[in-house]
């Protein structure tokens, strides 16, 4: 049987973790800090647990250069899918409070039971409340659909839809192959949106925004709405212009740690929420309290029982990153990520008669490299099965594509070494030459 050192695991998540982090966590799982209890046993109300949470949050803020006077870093449960709902509940609530403040400033009573105030707020909800979504892949599509489910389709604006992009490449293997050009959608942004939502990296489809969308930069003046981003599969792989966002979130199980915790970095001005009575009077949904960012923030991320073991693993991953890149931090990891992705894409592009990369070059993800073996495009999948079998024999595992799109997917997360990426690139080249022999 192969050992851990014999395997390079390209699974999309739960993903590969640094071996030294796992070894440290394994020891702590039995006896943390020689206290006689393991990390999965200590109370989340205990000082050791609180310290683990504090350190993880602080180190994460340091690595990403989060301005903590303006933003709150919170740890919570629910995963990325839970955040599809949480973003709706919290950003709609923040919008209601902003509109309420405007009305009070115009002279309406500062009283949530005032018929005059309620009437004016209901009118605003009916005519102005919108959530804007850029749909560029499977996960942003799911987020858009959840918003429709919670608020109704009339409140959710599909600003950009990558499914309508025409991919001129013959036999394109994905319905999400490109990111729509900004000039095609910027005019569709709502004038008073509660948020503009996008997914920075689409794990299933291998599509990544190369940078923060220029049209959404606050100075561009195209929208004043808070920008919300799902960064679950590319966080910690490059610097983040935090001040451009109202909120960004990410699940831990790609670049940060193990499954079980989610991080939200929220602008403090967006944290306060209206009362449940006011939301009820406006016929707006009231979210579960465990998804309410301000409650979690006020309780230092320990409102309910958080998995301290998972927080510990995430904290150790961040400490390793800070030790590896003490000066340039996320920019240092970005350089490595770019080199690894370049190696793999170069091997694929060298054999375009054998491989078809799913997204167009401008939208290619550094994190999730999605492609098909063209020899399987005739209706059979023998070539892709052979590719996966031969790769596995070499210790290159976790390469099967997502069940919804098939094909091959190499998830090139931070824990994949440059040597591992080079080994995959070498196999891609060798397999192609064998196919053409």
């Amino acid at each position: 049987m192969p050992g851990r050192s014999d395997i390079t695991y390209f699974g999309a998540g739960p993903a590969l973790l640094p071996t030294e982090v796992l070894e440290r966590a394994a020891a702590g799982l039995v006896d943390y800090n020689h206290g006689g209890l393991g990390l999965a046993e200590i109370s989340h109300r205990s000082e050791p647990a609180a310290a683990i949470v504090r350190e993880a949050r602080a180190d994460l803020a340091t690595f990403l250069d989060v301005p903590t006077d303006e933003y709150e870093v919170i740890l919570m449960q629910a995963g990325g899918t839970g955040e599809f709902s949480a973003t709706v509940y919290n950003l709609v609530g923040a919008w209601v409070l902003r509109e309420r403040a405007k009305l009070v400033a115009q002279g309406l009573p500062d009283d949530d039971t005032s018929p005059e105030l309620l009437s004016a707020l209901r009118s605003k909800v009916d005519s102005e409340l919108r959530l804007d979504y850029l749909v560029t892949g499977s996960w942003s599509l799911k987020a858009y659909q959840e918003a429709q489910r919670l608020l109704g389709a009339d409140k959710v604006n599909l600003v950009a839809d990558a499914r309508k992009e025409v991919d001129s490449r013959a036999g394109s293997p994905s319905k999400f192959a490109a990111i729509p050009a900004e000039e095609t959608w910027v005019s569709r942004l709502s004038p008073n949106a509660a948020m503009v939502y996008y997914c920075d990296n689409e794990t299933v489809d291998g599509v990544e925004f190369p940078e923060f969308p220029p049209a959404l930069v606050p100075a561009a003046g195209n929208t004043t709405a808070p920008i919300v981003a799902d960064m679950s599969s590319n966080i910690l792989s490059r610097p983040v212009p935090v001040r451009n966002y109202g909120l960004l979130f990410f699940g831990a199980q790609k670049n940060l740690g193990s499954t079980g915790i989610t991080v939200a970095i929220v602008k403090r001005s967006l944290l306060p929420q209206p009362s449940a009575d006011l939301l009820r009077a406006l016929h707006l949904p009231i979210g579960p309290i465990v998804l309410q960012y301000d409650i979690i923030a006020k309780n230092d991320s320990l409102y309910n029982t958080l998995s301290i073991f998972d927080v510990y693993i995430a904290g150790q991953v961040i400490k390793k990153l800070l030790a590896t890149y003490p000066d340039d931090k996320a920019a240092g990891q970005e350089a490595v990520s770019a080199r690894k992705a370049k190696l793999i894409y170069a091997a694929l592009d060298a054999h375009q008669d054998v491989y078809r990369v799913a997204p167009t070059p401008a939208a290619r993800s550094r994190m999730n490299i999605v492609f098909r073996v063209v020899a399987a495009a005739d209706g059979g999948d023998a070539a892709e099965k052979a590719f996966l079998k031969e790769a596995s024999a070499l210790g290159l595992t976790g390469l099967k594509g997502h069940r919804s799109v098939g094909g091959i997917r190499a998830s090139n997360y931070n824990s994949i070494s440059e040597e591992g990426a080079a080994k995959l690139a070498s196999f891609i080249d060798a397999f192609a030459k064998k196919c053409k022999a």
Side-chain angles (χ1 to χ4, degrees):
M1 295 291 290
R4 183 174 179 85
S5 61
D6 302 318
I7 296 296
T8 303
Y9 180 63
F10 292 93
L16 186 71
L17 286 164
T19 298
E20 59 267 42
V21 167
L22 291 178
E23 289 172 343
R24 202 173 302 125
L29 187 59
V30 176
D31 186 358
Y32 177 63
N33 277 359
H34 308 292
L37 288 176
L39 285 163
E41 299 166 311
I42 60 175
S43 168
H44 68 296
R45 302 296 183 197
S46 67
E47 177 50 34
I52 289 169
V53 172
R54 282 197 305 269
E55 280 191 36
R57 292 167 59 208
D59 288 345
L60 183 58
T62 298
F63 188 75
L64 292 176
D65 289 321
V66 177
T68 52
D69 57 329
E70 300 175 49
Y71 289 80
E72 182 80 29
V73 178
I74 62 175
L75 307 180
M76 55 190 295
Q77 297 165 345
T81 300
E83 293 301 319
F84 299 164
S85 305
T87 52
V88 173
Y89 293 132
N90 286 274
L91 273 295
V92 166
W95 183 91
V96 167
L97 286 187
R98 287 198 304 278
E99 297 307 310
R100 182 191 184 282
K102 292 177 188 177
L103 292 171
V104 170
Q106 293 169 12
L108 270 65
D110 188 5
D111 178 2
D112 286 350
T113 64
S114 161
E116 188 180 5
L117 178 65
L118 288 175
S119 176
L121 270 175
R122 286 194 195 104
S123 178
K124 277 187 168 287
V125 168
D126 291 341
S127 62
E128 297 180 29
L129 175 59
R130 298 292 183 274
L131 305 182
D132 285 355
Y133 281 77
L134 310 181
V135 172
T136 56
S138 300
W139 290 115
S140 52
L141 177 60
K142 286 180 181 292
Y144 165 71
Q145 291 168 337
E146 175 66 354
Q148 289 183 306
R149 190 182 72 86
L150 293 175
L151 277 186
D154 61 316
K155 299 293 184 196
V156 185
N157 180 27
L158 182 55
V159 174
D161 187 354
R163 293 170 296 178
K164 296 181 179 179
E165 292 293 296
V166 176
D167 188 355
S168 59
R169 298 170 302 154
S172 174
S174 175
K175 63 183 177 184
F176 292 112
I179 295 172
E182 289 188 348
E183 59 267 23
T184 67
W185 55 260
V186 68
S187 64
R188 292 201 289 269
L189 290 165
S190 301
N192 187 23
M195 69 175 178
V196 180
Y197 182 108
Y198 76 99
C199 181
D200 207 41
N201 184 80
E202 294 281 2
T203 318
V204 171
D205 307 283
V207 169
E208 183 179 29
F209 280 81
E211 60 182 344
F212 184 90
L216 300 182
V217 174
N222 293 300
T223 181
T224 58
I227 309 303
V228 174
D230 175 356
M231 295 188 174
S232 291
S233 52
N234 66 349
I235 196 65
L236 308 181
S237 72
R238 65 183 181 186
V240 176
V242 176
R243 282 193 171 94
N244 284 351
Y245 296 95
L247 160 69
L248 56 98
F249 70 84
F250 42 97
Q253 67 274 16
K254 315 290 188 182
N255 280 328
L256 179 59
S258 50
T259 304
I261 58 169
T262 309
V263 180
I265 299 176
V266 192
K267 197 167 187 176
R268 291 181 185 273
S269 61
L270 297 174
L271 287 172
Q273 293 292 300
S275 68
D277 286 341
L278 179 55
L279 291 172
R280 199 172 287 116
L282 298 174
H283 309 296
L284 290 172
I286 302 167
I289 200 165
V290 293
L291 296 183
Q292 196 165 319
Y293 297 142
D294 66 329
I295 296 294
I296 299 168
K298 287 173 185 174
N299 287 273
D300 296 320
S301 296
L302 290 168
Y303 174 72
N304 60 330
T305 308
L306 196 63
S307 173
I308 300 303
F309 181 62
D310 294 315
V311 177
Y312 177 80
I313 291 175
Q316 293 303 306
V317 169
I318 301 165
K319 287 185 184 300
K320 177 177 169 58
L321 286 169
L322 285 168
T324 305
Y325 310 106
D327 299 319
D328 45 4
K329 293 178 284 192
Q333 181 62 65
E334 181 181 33
V336 175
S337 298
R339 288 198 299 269
K340 293 189 298 175
K342 185 177 180 181
L343 272 174
I344 298 170
Y345 280 121
L348 293 167
D349 288 340
H351 302 285
Q352 294 184 34
D353 52 341
V354 176
Y355 305 111
R356 176 61 51 78
V357 178
T360 56
R364 288 178 175 181
S365 168
R366 299 162 302 124
M367 296 288 101
N368 306 102
I369 299 170
V370 178
F371 60 96
R372 301 300 300 254
V373 180
V374 177
D378 59 358
D381 61 355
E384 287 182 345
K385 286 183 177 178
F387 181 98
L388 292 169
K389 182 177 180 181
E390 293 179 29
S392 181
L394 294 174
L396 302 168
T397 64
L399 288 165
K400 188 174 182 179
H402 191 272
R403 63 187 182 278
S404 65
V405 297
I408 314 295
R409 174 174 55 174
S411 292
N412 181 38
Y413 298 135
N414 289 350
S415 290
I416 297 294
S417 67
E418 291 191 68
E419 292 76 16
K423 185 177 179 181
L424 176 59
S426 178
F427 170 69
I428 287 170
D429 179 67
F431 184 85
K433 289 175 178 175
K434 179 181 173 182
C435 285
K436 293 187 283 189

